[in-house]
Amino acid sequence: GADDYLLKPFPLEVLEGGIENALRRKAPDQTTDLEGQAPGSSIPIITQDRGMKEILHLCGKVAQSKATVLIQGESGTGKELLARYIHEQSQRNQGPFVAVNCASLPETLLESELFGHEKGAFTGAIARKIGKFELAQRGTLLLDEISEMNPFLQAKILRVLQENEVDRIGGSRPIPIDIRVIATTNRDLEAWVEKGQFREDLYYRLQVIQIALPPLRERPGDIELLTNHFLKKFAGENKRPFRPLSGEAMAWLKSQEWRGNVKELKNVLERAVLLSSQSTLDLTDFSAAPGAAREPEGGGMDFSSLCLRDMEERLISRALEKTQGNRTHAAR
């Protein structure tokens, strides 16, 4: 009755991917039916925008190939979500989907994380470590924010893409791999190549298929669709009653620039669901709205009637506001 197997050691995301794939195969008819969701997919890419639908159609066509894909777009537009969609639509969907954020690890750790190392390869290498390239065997490897990678690692990535083999640090022989690589960036890589900040040969090797995700402000028709989806999602997750949005609040949401894109919209809606006690969500539930109730500037907050959880929610919300919905910066 075995459905799949994992090679130890393995990271949590490989285990999660295996479970998701197994559940999808066992119960393909139980995927969520969402209005505006990409057809034939359990990945919730919700849109009614013509440009986004064309992108999804293109992804469906290229998914069956092994070609590398470069996804460019602003922070919060859903680049990783689209990468998962491509993986799900491909013949590799039985294999793992492994994601590496190239900006979140220091250079010394990133090399070991990607390529792995042998025991004793360097000080502190007390055991063999399997790298992400090997963990993604017969699946998909996502190199998130690849523009943050230093030139030395860029050269090693280029060799892996050209030779389809990887060298562990301290290893004696190359290891053949069969993976698909998807890279994402929120920068203009072509401009970075011209400035000498990114290898030109790697750029052309990555952009066999290039996809530019439009920011949320360029597809205002999706705001209402996404808002309704997130309100239902957060109400269910937090065991809160579903509260519809007032017309005034929806008009305000549609008028915003959303520099943090879908991620920022999602954070704003989650905060409103958690803090609202009214029957409908109004402008007063969105602290950034003009004329809405705002907390005092300079960090002054009235804690007299708040429990610890409420204080945490307000402080976290303020941090997210100041960082335009960027969770990593807000956490710092």
Side-chain angles (χ1 to χ4, degrees), residues 27-35 37-38 41-44 46 229:
D29 57 329
Q30 294 179 13
T31 54
T32 308
D33 182 21
L34 295 170
E35 179 189 359
Q37 181 172 321
S41 169
S42 64
I43 304 294
I46 301 166
H229 166 65

Side-chain angles (χ1 to χ4, degrees), residues 208-221:
V208 176
I209 303 295
Q210 187 167 357
I211 297 171
L213 272 180
L216 186 58
R217 60 183 171 274
E218 291 182 9
R219 45 190 181 106

Side-chain angles (χ1 to χ4, degrees), residues 84-271:
R84 290 182 181 274
Y85 175 79
I86 294 172
H87 172 72
E88 187 200 56
Q89 297 295 306
S90 74
Q91 296 175 346
R92 297 175 177 271
N93 58 14
Q94 308 297 317
F97 178 92
V98 179
V100 183
N101 189 317
C102 302
S104 65
L105 292 169
E107 296 173 3
T108 50
L109 287 180
L110 183 57
E111 182 181 8
S112 175
E113 193 74 14
L114 288 171
F115 303 101
H117 62 250
E118 296 290 350
K119 180 179 179 180
F122 50 84
T123 304
I126 58 175
R128 171 187 285 180
K129 176 182 174 63
I130 305 299
K132 299 295 189 184
F133 277 102
E134 290 181 72
L135 290 172
Q137 185 76 327
R138 294 187 297 278
T140 302
L141 175 66
L142 171 65
L143 298 175
D144 195 18
E145 303 303 345
I146 194 171
S147 53
E148 307 305 311
M149 189 179 289
N150 69 34
F152 168 72
L153 286 181
Q154 290 175 28
K156 293 194 71 170
I157 294 289
L158 179 62
R159 185 183 181 282
V160 172
L161 295 177
Q162 290 174 336
E163 305 298 332
N164 291 317
E165 59 185 29
V166 64
D167 292 293
R168 290 189 196 136
I169 301 172
S172 58
R173 59 182 178 82
I175 299 163
I177 55 171
D178 174 21
I179 66 170
R180 186 217 212 109
V181 172
I182 300 177
T184 71
T185 180
N186 58 8
R187 302 186 185 277
D188 182 352
L189 272 193
E190 193 169 355
W192 272 51
V193 168
E194 292 175 0
K195 295 175 183 177
Q197 294 176 300
F198 197 83
R199 288 182 65 105
E200 185 176 17
D201 47 6
L202 178 58
Y203 170 65
Y204 289 120
R205 187 66 183 81
L206 288 172
Q207 60 124 16
V208 176
I209 303 295
Q210 187 167 357
I211 297 171
L213 272 180
L216 186 58
R217 60 183 171 274
E218 291 182 9
R219 45 190 181 106
D222 282 349
I223 291 178
E224 185 169 358
L225 202 63
L226 288 165
T227 296
N228 290 329
H229 166 65
F230 286 134
L231 288 179
K232 292 174 184 175
K233 177 177 183 287
F234 294 136
E237 287 179 355
N238 295 285
K239 296 181 173 56
R240 299 288 181 95
F242 172 72
R243 297 181 174 94
L245 211 62
S246 70
E248 189 179 18
M250 179 61 77
W252 178 78
L253 289 176
K254 289 181 177 180
S255 70
Q256 299 306 295
E257 188 178 354
W258 299 118
R259 288 179 293 172
N261 293 291
V262 179
K263 192 175 289 185
E264 183 186 2
L265 173 66
K266 181 179 176 182
N267 290 334
V268 167
L269 293 170
E270 184 172 16
R271 180 177 65 229

